[in-house]
């Protein structure tokens, strides 16, 4: 705030993330409440390594792992609060709080964030507009972290490149039209666990790369939001979603163009 003019501040809280560090006092308290202790499991940098111990959902070991992770969330809450309290209330700040992924703890047989089930893909996205505009409002419409750049650009009155893939959240929340949005997801770090997904307002389609033949499944997220019931037996819909996902993946190859245009606009408004 020493110099006049607008500021862009990005604060990256790495926790909650592996390795799951037990944060005092919460980790010990929550582990004890679950009938376990945090030291019954090792602290591992890659949570996928927990596979070799063959822990089960509901076990003392899983309760300890989740107590460690939840304690990191609680510690991060305090850090976010401190950051918000440091803001000058006289400044018209746009504040966006989000995450890049959640974390899986065997809900669908995996650790970490190598799939797109709700425990991984459903993330917080909170926006505080200047002067607390629209305070307390919520929407069930689909949104994405892709919406963050156009949201910021719209708020400062800057042009939004047509090739930018997101939508201003101001428009998403205000819309009364049917939610026809399609959000593709892709995990590619490890070819052995890579997968694609496509989320709509009522369906979640997953494609798992499982040689020799890909596994494709479809869920009704309106009646099964946690995707715990058996997948839908709708072959025609699965074919439609698979083709549409391929089309969207091809379209998203233009992401580099959007990034270049975004940087050019950023330089023009410095």
């Amino acid at each position: 705030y020493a110099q006049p003019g607008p500021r862009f501040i990005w604060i990256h809280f790495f926790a909650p993330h592996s390795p799951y560090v037990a944060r005092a006092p919460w980790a010990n308290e929550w582990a004890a409440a679950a009938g376990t202790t945090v030291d019954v499991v090792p602290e591992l940098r890659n949570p996928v390594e927990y596979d070799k111990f063959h822990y089960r959902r509901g076990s003392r070991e899983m309760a300890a792992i989740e107590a460690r992770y939840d304690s990191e969330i609680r510690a991060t809450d305090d850090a976010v609060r401190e950051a918000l309290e440091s803001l000058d209330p006289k400044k018209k700040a746009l504040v966006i709080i989000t995450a890049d992924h959640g974390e899986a703890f065997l809900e669908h047989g995996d650790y970490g964030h190598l799939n797109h089930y709700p425990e991984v893909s459903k993330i917080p996205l909170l926006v505080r507009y200047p002067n607390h505009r629209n305070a307390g409002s919520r929407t069930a419409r689909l949104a994405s972290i892709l919406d963050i750049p156009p949201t910021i650009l719209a708020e400062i009155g800057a042009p939004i490149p047509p090739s930018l893939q997101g939508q201003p959240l101001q428009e998403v929340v205000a819309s009364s039209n049917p939610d026809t949005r399609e959000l593709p997801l892709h995990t590619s770090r490890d070819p052995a666990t890579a997968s694609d997904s496509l989320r709509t307002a009522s369906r979640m389609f997953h494609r798992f790369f499982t040689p020799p033949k890909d596994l494709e499944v479809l869920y009704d997220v309106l009646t099964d939001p946690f995707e715990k019931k058996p997948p839908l037996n709708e072959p025609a819909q699965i074919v439609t979603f698979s083709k549409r996902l391929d089309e969207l993946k091809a379209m998203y190859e233009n992401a580099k163009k959007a990034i270049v245009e975004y940087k050019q606009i950023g330089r023009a408004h410095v």
Side-chain angles (χ1 to χ4, degrees):
Y1 292 117
Q3 299 295 326
R7 291 286 182 274
F8 176 80
I9 302 173
W10 175 41
I11 304 176
H12 182 189
F13 299 101
F14 190 75
H17 202 281
S18 59
Y20 309 138
V21 178
R23 307 294 179 123
W26 310 290
N28 290 326
E29 291 177 359
W30 295 338
T36 187
T37 60
V38 295
D39 57 3
V40 300
V41 293
E43 183 179 300
L44 302 177
R45 175 158 293 278
N46 185 351
V48 176
E49 295 178 22
Y50 283 120
D51 272 337
K52 62 187 177 185
F53 297 106
H54 304 292
Y55 299 145
R56 295 180 179 275
R57 287 284 297 172
S59 66
R60 294 178 68 246
E61 292 82 5
M62 285 306 304
I65 293 173
E66 293 187 59
R68 285 174 170 268
Y69 183 76
D70 289 346
S71 75
E72 289 205 322
I73 296 176
R74 180 60 180 82
T76 303
D77 282 348
D78 277 354
V80 171
R81 174 181 53 79
E82 183 178 351
L84 292 175
E85 291 177 347
S86 70
L87 292 174
D88 186 341
K90 298 179 182 179
K91 303 287 187 180
K92 295 183 178 180
L94 170 68
V95 179
I96 300 176
I97 301 173
T98 191
D100 57 342
H101 58 76
E103 201 80 347
F105 295 99
L106 296 183
E107 292 89 345
H108 289 87
D110 296 325
Y111 291 99
H113 39 273
L114 296 176
N115 62 50
H116 304 135
Y117 285 111
E119 56 269 20
V120 174
S121 62
K122 190 172 182 178
I123 58 173
L125 181 53
L126 299 90
V127 181
R128 190 184 78 175
Y129 293 104
N131 300 321
H132 299 279
R133 189 174 79 249
N134 298 327
S137 62
R138 302 184 65 176
T139 180
R141 302 181 72 85
L142 290 182
S144 166
I145 53 176
L146 290 173
D147 300 332
I148 294 176
T151 298
I152 296 172
L153 293 174
E155 195 64 28
I156 65 175
I160 300 175
S163 55
L164 205 59
Q165 296 158 0
Q167 300 176 12
L169 289 170
Q170 299 92 325
E171 297 178 5
V172 172
V173 173
S175 176
S176 59
N177 295 324
D179 192 350
T180 58
R181 197 164 189 190
E182 301 168 312
L183 294 176
L185 302 96
H186 179 63
T187 299
S188 61
R189 179 176 297 179
D190 183 353
T193 57
S195 63
D196 289 333
S197 300
L198 179 58
R199 177 72 153 85
T200 68
S202 62
R203 296 287 189 268
M204 183 61 147
F205 169 78
H206 299 286
R207 177 193 293 153
F208 300 99
F209 301 120
T210 54
K213 184 178 180 180
D214 295 344
L215 172 65
E216 298 182 329
V217 294
L218 185 67
Y219 291 91
D220 181 343
V221 294
L222 297 181
T223 61
D224 183 20
F226 298 105
E227 300 175 35
K228 301 296 288 185
K229 299 178 182 178
L232 298 176
N233 183 20
E234 299 181 358
Q237 275 204 42
I238 290 175
V239 171
T240 299
F241 270 84
S242 183
K243 290 181 178 179
R244 182 56 179 157
L245 180 58
D246 288 338
E247 292 171 357
L248 290 171
K249 285 180 64 177
M251 291 169 57
Y252 272 61
E253 292 299 322
N254 294 323
K256 291 182 180 179
K257 179 181 178 182
I259 293 173
V260 170
E261 291 186 13
Y262 179 65
K263 288 181 177 179
Q264 291 173 342
I265 288 178
R267 285 194 294 269
H269 282 78
V270 171

